[in-house]
């Protein structure tokens, strides 16, 4: 699904209808897939945003993928979550089938604002935000910037909760990394995938789904726009020493928002201890550790993942009056 028909003339946030055979909510072109997941595309600020959608009832749940990933990482859990909620899984700017502008703002704050714009365009006022890895950092930033739109937070192997991160991601911040990635991805996708599998198998222990997802991510960087977006995004959040962005100092601002942390105890990308420490820091938060899982617990055990999220939705009360709670916390801290 590609293309854009026109650019918004109104300075207010809104999407422009893409005229096709099937239109959802008047703002997006959508096509139903065989697995019951709907593939959609909207235009915001003159740029294409792609997302997956499933379910038609219950609370709204947004799924945010990680760095160099896309919405496809959620495909196994989308039908399961759709039994309990209306689920939206966007491709972040610079990723997947969404636009990859050379002049794009790839900061965490801009990603959070872009998500707000998409939800407003789709007439979705509030949502439970689930973020994986880098998407976890975006989810937390969204909660800080738009507390009135955040009902719950689920952080999955989340970034932004500690300094340590895999050396492979730190390497993306080194000068010359764009050229290196271009040379690597100039190979055929199949060759790149085989190479990544061989290298990662030599780094025990690493979960099988981690192998597949890393290989898929590296292959996606064959696209120049995706490669540039990856490096810009990585440099906004990381440096050679590790994660630059630390959300732990602001976690107290989300104490009124129900929080679930999910991690795999075999994660070699972001240590599970980061999620454990965050759970201990936030009173009444929930923690679920997937034994034997790596960086993608939602792929290692989709049924358990969907069950944990469904129970979280069912057993917690959605946050309200987010701005008042935020103001109270800020005044007290000041």
């Amino acid at each position: 699904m590609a293309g854009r028909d026109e650019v918004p003339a109104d300075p207010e946030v809104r999407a422009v209808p893409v005229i096709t055979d099937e239109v959802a909510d008047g703002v997006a072109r959508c096509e139903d897939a065989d697995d019951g997941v709907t593939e959609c595309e909207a235009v915001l600020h003159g740029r294409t945003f792609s997302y997956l959608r499933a379910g038609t009832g219950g609370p709204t749940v947004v799924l945010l993928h990680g760095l160099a990933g896309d919405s496809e990482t959620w495909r196994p859990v989308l039908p399961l979550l759709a039994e309990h909620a209306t689920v939206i899984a966007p491709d972040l700017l610079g990723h997947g089938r969404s636009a990859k502008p050379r002049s794009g703002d790839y900061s965490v704050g801009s990603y959070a604002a872009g998500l707000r714009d998409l939800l407003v365009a789709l007439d979705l006022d509030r949502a439970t935000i689930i973020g994986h890895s880098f998407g976890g950092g975006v989810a937390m930033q969204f909660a800080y910037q738009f507390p009135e739109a955040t009902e719950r937070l689920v952080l999955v192997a989340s970034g932004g909760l500690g300094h340590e991160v895999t050396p492979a991601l730190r390497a993306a911040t080194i000068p010359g990394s764009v050229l290196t990635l271009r040379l690597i991805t100039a190979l055929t996708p199949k060759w790149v995938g085989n190479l990544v599998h061989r290298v990662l198998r030599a780094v025990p222990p690493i979960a099988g789904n981690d192998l597949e997802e890393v290989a898929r991510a590296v292959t996606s960087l064959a696209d120049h726009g995706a490669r540039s977006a990856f490096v810009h995004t990585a440099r906004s959040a990381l440096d050679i020493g590790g994660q630059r962005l630390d959300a732990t100092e602001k976690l107290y601002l989300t104490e009124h928002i129900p929080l679930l942390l999910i991690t795999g105890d075999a994660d070699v990308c972001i240590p599970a201890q980061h999620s454990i420490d965050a759970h201990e820091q936030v009173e009444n938060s929930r923690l679920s550790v997937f034994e034997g899982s790596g960086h993608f617990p939602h792929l290692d055990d989709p049924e358990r993942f969907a069950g944990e999220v469904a129970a979280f939705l069912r057993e917690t009360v959605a946050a309200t009056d987010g701005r008042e709670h935020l103001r109270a916390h800020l005044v007290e801290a000041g």
Side-chain angles (χ1 to χ4, degrees):
M1 298 185 297
R4 61 186 77 151
D5 289 343
E6 53 181 309
V7 177
D10 192 332
E12 294 183 358
V13 175
R14 64 183 180 89
V16 175
V18 180
I19 307 303
T20 63
D21 292 336
E22 297 183 42
V23 177
D25 300 327
V27 299
R29 181 179 78 172
C30 294
E31 297 176 359
D32 292 332
D34 293 338
D35 58 358
V37 175
T38 303
E39 300 175 354
C40 297
E41 181 181 89
V43 176
L44 287 169
H45 313 304
R47 292 170 175 167
T48 301
F49 284 82
S50 177
Y51 62 95
L52 302 179
R53 191 187 66 193
T56 57
T60 301
V61 171
V62 175
L63 303 172
L64 301 177
H65 61 78
L67 186 61
D70 57 35
S71 57
E72 291 295 326
T73 189
W74 301 110
R75 183 76 76 159
V77 302
L78 271 166
L80 301 175
L81 291 176
E83 298 176 8
H84 311 280
T86 297
V87 189
I88 304 292
D91 287 337
L92 297 175
L93 190 72
H95 296 73
R97 294 178 294 273
S98 288
K100 302 169 180 64
R102 183 173 183 177
S103 59
D105 183 351
Y106 295 109
S107 65
V108 175
S110 181
Y111 279 124
L115 174 60
R116 186 278 313 271
D117 292 354
L118 179 62
L119 293 180
V120 170
L122 297 178
D123 198 26
L124 299 172
D125 296 329
R126 306 169 72 238
T128 291
I129 312 297
I130 301 178
H132 170 248
S133 195
F134 177 78
V138 176
M140 285 186 281
Q141 186 67 29
F142 183 89
Y144 302 150
Q145 290 181 214
F146 311 109
E148 70 282 357
T150 309
E151 292 188 335
R152 302 172 184 83
L153 273 178
V154 181
L155 304 178
V156 185
S158 180
L161 297 177
H163 189 62
E164 297 85 3
V165 71
T166 180
L169 286 177
R170 298 202 304 266
T173 67
I174 300 173
S177 57
V178 174
L179 176 60
T180 301
L181 285 171
R182 182 166 66 85
L183 292 174
I184 292 173
T185 55
L187 305 169
T188 65
K190 181 179 179 180
W191 206 97
V192 171
N194 290 338
L195 176 62
V196 171
H197 275 83
R198 289 180 181 179
V199 171
L200 292 182
R201 284 197 188 100
V203 187
I206 185 166
N209 280 308
D210 288 16
L211 282 169
E212 297 299 329
E213 288 298 294
V214 171
R216 195 166 68 86
V218 173
T219 301
S220 74
L221 299 180
D223 177 86
H224 171 73
R227 187 166 61 245
S228 178
F230 166 74
V231 173
H232 283 302
T233 304
R235 288 175 177 172
S236 73
L238 307 165
D239 59 26
I240 191 59
Q243 297 188 67
R244 294 174 50 237
L245 303 180
D246 184 0
T248 56
E249 63 183 13
K250 293 182 180 179
L251 275 177
Y252 76 96
L253 296 177
T254 62
E255 288 180 349
H256 68 287
I257 301 174
L259 172 63
L260 168 64
L261 298 117
I262 297 176
T263 187
D265 65 358
D267 191 341
V268 297
C269 182
I270 296 177
Q273 192 62 45
H274 290 188
S275 296
I276 296 171
D277 291 343
H279 166 62
E280 295 176 350
Q281 183 177 338
V282 180
E283 187 177 359
N284 298 322
S285 63
R286 299 186 179 193
L287 172 68
S288 181
V289 179
F290 284 35
E291 296 77 10
S293 286
H295 192 55
F296 298 85
H298 55 289
L299 295 180
D300 292 332
D301 194 340
E303 289 78 13
R304 178 182 173 184
F305 180 88
E308 297 273 4
V309 172
F312 181 60
L313 294 174
R314 184 174 61 251
E315 297 168 5
T316 58
V317 178
T320 57
D321 299 323
R323 291 180 65 84
E324 288 302 314
H325 280 89
L326 177 61
R327 181 180 182 279
H329 280 305
L330 290 173
V331 170
E332 181 180 356

